[in-house]
Amino acid sequence: MKKKIYTTIKLILIICVVALMSLGWFVCEDNVFSMYKTEANSTIEPNYISELPNGTRCYHFNIRNVTHTTHSMLFYTNHQEVYVTVAGRLVYSVEKSDLIFGHTTGSVWNRVETPAYSSQVVVMIKPVYPNITPSEPQFYFGDGVAMYENLICGSFIEMAVCLLIIAVGLCLVVYFFIAARGSKEILYLGLFASLLGFWSLGETAGVTLLLQQRVMASYCAFTCLMIVGCPFVMFVRYFLHLHNQKICAVVIAIITSIAVFCQLMQFLNIRDIKQNAVLIHFGLLAGCLYMFGGIIHNMIIKKHRRKSAICLVGASVLGIAAVLDTIAYYGDRLNANRYSKFGFLVFIVIISLETARYAKLQLEKERKLRLYQEMAVKDLLTNCYNRNAYNEDIENFDKDQDTYIITFDLNNLKLCNDTMGHNAGDQYIIEAATIIQEVFSHVGKVYRIGGDEFCVVAKDTTDEKLSGLVEKMRKNERDFNIDSPIKLAIAYGMAKYNPETHESLEDTRSEADELMYENKKELKKSDTFRRIL
């Protein structure tokens, strides 16, 4: 039966993975790469391409036949300087910045307005980093506003997926602090998902278009990518229950060293983070190898196999997406984050469901453990602390505090059992314990130390306050007896710990017991309290 359930779960996961990947493919195919086609001839090819000695590529266009009105040219560049001339006049430029966050332009969607009846347009593109070969840009021509709208609308699904990843991550972090402090994998999965979501969101066409500070955006994206490996590795360690801390520490050290090195190179103006992208990818690879090593280890020792199998399914989807995007990164830069968003979503959803299931089981185990621990010190009938708890607290008694002992005894309990039955006797005990707890629980613990004997250890209080509480107990007792067939009569005695006459708190309780027995005799003689009929 368990095998069938497990097989069904795997089948459902595989179907979900295939469905989400198919959705991602069609969304990307139909929207992301065709989102700016406002008309049939929106894509425009240069008449010829020339190259200058400094590496600048010049794209020459003759648009005399297509510019009857003012139109826009739209194209994407990635860390490249751009200069556009119309009829020999410079009309648009994007130059690299000289900021501490990067000497680059970042990723930019360039929109160039071409005046009506323009003829010769030259687009000059120079790579910021000579050692990084950019991909050939694709040029689109048409109504600028319409192309902007299509660009943003076309990337809406991508942005929604990224925002969903961020939301899931933040919810996991909040859930950890509210209800799952013992499940650290939830915290690290939440941090991992949030960082991945922010990085992926910054790579979408819509955000690239809307966020103008492209250098800062590029720096933040690579920073997220650098540090995402640390929470990922910690998540894998706790999720797969990997106990070899040295291996985990080594992987964390590698990722951290790469991040520190890249940041130092950046802020010392030696080399931009973008130029160290290979090192960042190496750090991520180290994290992935740690995960697959953990999965293989668990499979070999035959422990946590369910988690390992689910992690393998999710990691396979994420790995395929990462490989495809890495290939695209070193090839077609425009499509470098084509699959990862959907791979991330599938991975995080699969792992989150399993993590939530496991956390629920752990919380249930902790709840039962607390219940068993409470049962060890609590009386099941009255929910008062029991004799074991009393003995333990007496041993840890702080003699520097003013401490009172109030003892209670239930009059006529045996008569109640004999005349009305043991159920009525139990109800007598419960009702009396309820009154004692309602009145005295805020000044100290209430213990049931015998069948019909109760005790309160009250600290930092006064005779006057305790006498007032006794009067309140009497009032609650009278109110209960008005309409109840069971007539309560609670005898009490009260004594204060005196280090000069009491060797221990047990001596104080003995003194309180003597006073309680005197009160018990008074209650039996008093006409105010009748015997239970």
Side-chain angles (χ1 to χ4, degrees):
M1 182 65 182
K2 289 184 178 179
K3 186 175 181 180
K4 289 183 178 180
I5 294 175
Y6 187 58
T7 305
T8 303
I9 292 174
K10 289 198 294 184
L11 182 60
I12 293 173
L13 289 175
I14 293 172
I15 293 173
C16 291
V17 168
V18 173
L20 286 172
M21 290 298 291
S22 300
L23 175 63
W25 171 270
F26 286 117
V27 167
C28 292
E29 261 319 293
D30 296 337
N31 293 323
V32 176
F33 303 107
S34 302
M35 53 195 166
Y36 13 71
K37 291 184 179 179
T38 57
E39 52 191 46
N41 61 347
S42 60
T43 302
I44 184 172
E45 298 292 336
N47 294 94
Y48 65 95
I49 302 173
S50 62
E51 187 167 347
L52 301 180
N54 63 357
T56 302
R57 291 178 66 84
C58 302
Y59 300 85
H60 301 264
F61 298 88
N62 188 340
I63 56 175
R64 183 186 302 274
N65 297 327
V66 294
T67 55
H68 303 298
T69 59
T70 300
H71 279 71
S72 296
M73 178 181 288
L74 186 70
F75 57 96
Y76 175 84
T77 55
N78 189 12
H79 300 279
Q80 296 163 287
E81 292 184 298
V82 178
Y83 302 92
V84 180
T85 62
V86 176
R89 182 171 59 89
L90 183 67
V91 296
Y92 177 85
S93 65
V94 175
E95 298 179 312
K96 68 178 182 179
S97 67
D98 195 23
L99 300 175
I100 193 172
F101 299 107
H103 305 83
T104 181
T105 61
S107 303
V108 182
W109 277 100
N110 303 272
R111 175 187 171 188
V112 183
E113 296 289 343
T114 57
Y117 300 102
S118 299
S119 56
Q120 297 296 323
V121 176
V122 180
V123 179
M124 293 171 282
I125 300 178
K126 177 184 177 182
V128 173
Y129 307 115
N131 60 326
I132 300 177
T133 304
S135 59
E136 287 290 335
Q138 193 167 12
F139 299 91
Y140 303 92
F141 195 79
D143 182 83
V145 175
M147 286 193 292
Y148 262 36
E149 290 177 351
N150 288 342
L151 191 66
I152 295 173
C153 293
S155 63
F156 176 79
I157 298 295
E158 283 187 290
M159 291 190 289
V161 170
C162 295
L163 291 173
L164 180 59
I165 294 173
I166 295 172
V168 171
L170 295 177
C171 287
L172 289 172
V173 172
V174 172
Y175 177 70
F176 167 79
F177 285 106
I178 292 177
R181 292 287 183 104
S183 302
K184 292 185 179 180
E185 64 269 25
I186 292 179
L187 172 63
Y188 291 116
L189 178 60
L191 294 175
F192 169 67
S194 300
L195 289 171
L196 273 183
F198 280 115
W199 170 71
S200 297
L201 183 64
E203 296 292 310
T204 59
V207 173
T208 302
L209 187 65
L210 296 173
L211 194 59
Q212 298 300 313
Q213 298 296 329
R214 298 310 311 156
V215 178
M216 176 63 75
S218 177
Y219 170 80
C220 292
F222 276 104
T223 300
C224 287
L225 205 56
M226 278 191 296
I227 63 177
V228 74
C230 291
F232 175 73
V233 170
M234 293 302 295
F235 160 73
V236 169
R237 176 190 167 188
Y238 286 106
F239 182 77
L240 297 179
H241 305 278
L242 304 176
H243 302 296
N244 194 325
Q245 298 183 11
K246 291 183 179 180
I247 297 178
C248 178
V250 169
V251 178
I252 292 290
I254 291 174
I255 296 172
T256 304
S257 299
I258 291 174
V260 172
F261 174 78
C262 291
Q263 293 288 353
L264 285 176
M265 296 284 281
Q266 175 72 63
F267 291 120
L268 293 177
N269 292 327
I270 299 175
R271 193 174 171 88
D272 281 355
I273 292 178
K274 166 72 174 179
Q275 295 173 281
N276 293 318
V278 174
L279 291 178
I280 298 173
H281 293 157
F282 177 77
L284 295 176
L285 178 62
C288 293
L289 291 176
Y290 176 74
M291 177 185 63
F292 284 110
I295 293 173
I296 294 172
H297 173 265
N298 284 349
M299 292 297 185
I300 292 174
I301 65 174
K302 297 181 179 180
K303 288 186 176 180
H304 312 291
R305 300 177 72 174
R306 174 191 171 88
K307 279 190 167 185
S308 299
I310 291 177
C311 190
L312 182 61
V313 172
S316 299
V317 176
L318 184 59
I320 293 172
V323 169
L324 293 175
D325 281 346
T326 301
I327 294 173
Y329 176 82
Y330 291 103
D332 182 6
R333 306 299 172 116
L334 175 60
N335 303 336
N337 199 9
R338 180 179 184 180
Y339 301 96
S340 291
K341 300 175 186 65
F342 303 97
F344 292 151
L345 182 60
V346 172
F347 176 80
I348 290 168
V349 168
I350 291 175
I351 300 300
S352 296
L353 290 174
E354 175 60 20
T355 302
R357 185 197 69 85
Y358 183 77
K360 183 180 178 181
L361 293 177
Q362 290 300 107
L363 289 174
E364 184 64 22
K365 288 182 180 179
E366 292 176 4
R367 187 191 68 80
K368 289 182 179 180
L369 178 61
R370 287 194 299 268
L371 178 61
Y372 294 147
Q373 291 173 340
E374 187 174 295
M375 289 172 63
V377 296
K378 284 290 188 77
D379 176 61
L380 296 180
L381 181 64
T382 63
N383 202 38
C384 295
Y385 288 94
N386 59 21
R387 186 62 184 251
N388 292 333
Y390 172 79
N391 292 335
E392 184 177 346
D393 290 344
I394 291 300
E395 290 179 3
N396 301 322
F397 169 55
D398 185 0
K399 295 183 178 182
D400 295 332
Q401 291 182 320
D402 292 334
T403 303
Y404 289 80
I405 295 288
I406 309 101
T407 58
F408 305 89
D409 187 89
L410 309 184
N411 275 11
N412 303 319
L413 177 60
K414 184 177 184 304
L415 180 61
C416 179
N417 283 327
D418 294 341
T419 58
M420 303 180 67
H422 287 282
N423 288 338
D426 288 345
Q427 192 63 33
Y428 187 121
I429 295 172
I430 293 171
E431 298 297 344
T434 300
I435 291 177
I436 294 172
Q437 289 184 94
E438 287 177 351
V439 174
F440 291 95
S441 61
H442 68 282
V443 295
K445 288 184 177 180
V446 179
Y447 305 89
R448 185 187 181 192
I449 56 176
D452 61 350
E453 297 178 6
F454 294 83
C455 173
V456 173
V457 179
K459 299 179 180 180
D460 296 327
T461 187
T462 62
D463 291 333
E464 292 77 9
K465 184 175 182 179
L466 291 176
S467 296
L469 294 178
V470 169
E471 289 300 320
K472 183 179 179 182
M473 180 187 73
R474 289 289 181 234
K475 179 181 182 302
N476 292 354
E477 185 182 81
R478 289 192 297 268
D479 292 343
F480 177 83
N481 287 339
I482 292 174
D483 299 321
S484 175
I486 301 174
K487 304 303 179 184
L488 303 182
I490 305 173
Y492 83 96
M494 180 173 63
K496 182 179 179 180
Y497 173 75
N498 187 344
E500 296 180 359
T501 58
H502 300 156
E503 293 184 2
S504 67
L505 208 59
E506 279 296 292
D507 293 337
T508 308
R509 187 170 73 88
S510 297
E511 182 179 326
D513 278 342
E514 293 177 4
L515 296 173
M516 182 265 292
Y517 286 120
E518 290 179 9
N519 182 248
K520 187 178 182 73
K521 293 176 183 178
E522 292 175 3
L523 290 178
K524 288 185 177 181
K525 293 177 182 179
S526 174
D527 293 333
T528 307
F529 297 92
R530 300 179 294 110
R531 289 182 177 274
I532 299 178
L533 298 178

